[in-house]
Amino acid sequence: DGHFRFEVQVNGKSAPFLFDTGASSIVLTAETARMLGLRDEHLRFAVPVQTANGRSMTAPVVLDELAVGPIVFTKVSALVAKPGLLNDNLFGQSVLGRLESYEVRGNRLVLRARKG
């Protein structure tokens, strides 16, 4: 469909993500947040975001670990979308900025971890 989608291990659980250079953060759907044990009633939806569908509020969280293949990030700032706001988890700039680089080669996405 012209997008890059891949499985990411979030706190040890697998979830599908959409590569999104336009997203400022990792953003989880409400369903993925529930799967990770993050319940709506324990989240504070206080961070405004602008989406293609307009403005909405999201809840800030910190993920202990996020892994894409051999690349592992710890203490990742993320946002949780309100139920019904997103269809996909977004892999955005809060982790892309922690990579050495990323590039598209034809129909492949290449992520490179920082050394050291």
Side-chain angles (χ1 to χ4, degrees):
D1 65 1
H3 297 283
F4 290 104
R5 298 173 194 279
F6 45 89
E7 290 295 311
V8 176
Q9 295 294 313
V10 182
N11 294 347
K13 296 182 180 179
S14 184
F17 274 75
L18 175 69
F19 179 76
D20 188 348
T21 59
S24 60
S25 182
I26 289 289
V27 186
L28 304 175
T29 65
E31 295 76 20
T32 297
R34 282 188 213 108
M35 183 259 306
L36 294 171
L38 304 169
R39 300 283 176 223
D40 293 349
E41 60 270 15
H42 298 130
L43 298 173
R44 186 168 172 258
F45 291 91
V47 178
V49 294
Q50 182 68 41
T51 72
N53 296 326
R55 292 183 60 81
S56 185
M57 300 301 279
T58 59
V61 296
V62 175
L63 305 172
D64 293 329
E65 186 175 279
L66 188 140
V68 181
I71 302 173
V72 179
F73 304 94
T74 57
K75 303 297 179 206
V76 177
S77 296
L79 299 171
V80 175
K82 284 187 171 182
L85 180 66
L86 284 180
N87 294 323
D88 296 294
N89 298 301
L90 303 179
F91 196 85
Q93 292 296 331
S94 62
V95 287
L96 294 176
R98 292 169 67 176
L99 291 168
E100 179 67 31
S101 66
Y102 58 89
E103 67 177 301
V104 175
R105 289 188 187 167
N107 64 350
R108 293 184 60 183
L109 173 64
V110 179
L111 306 176
R112 287 188 191 85
R114 285 201 169 123
K115 293 173 177 56

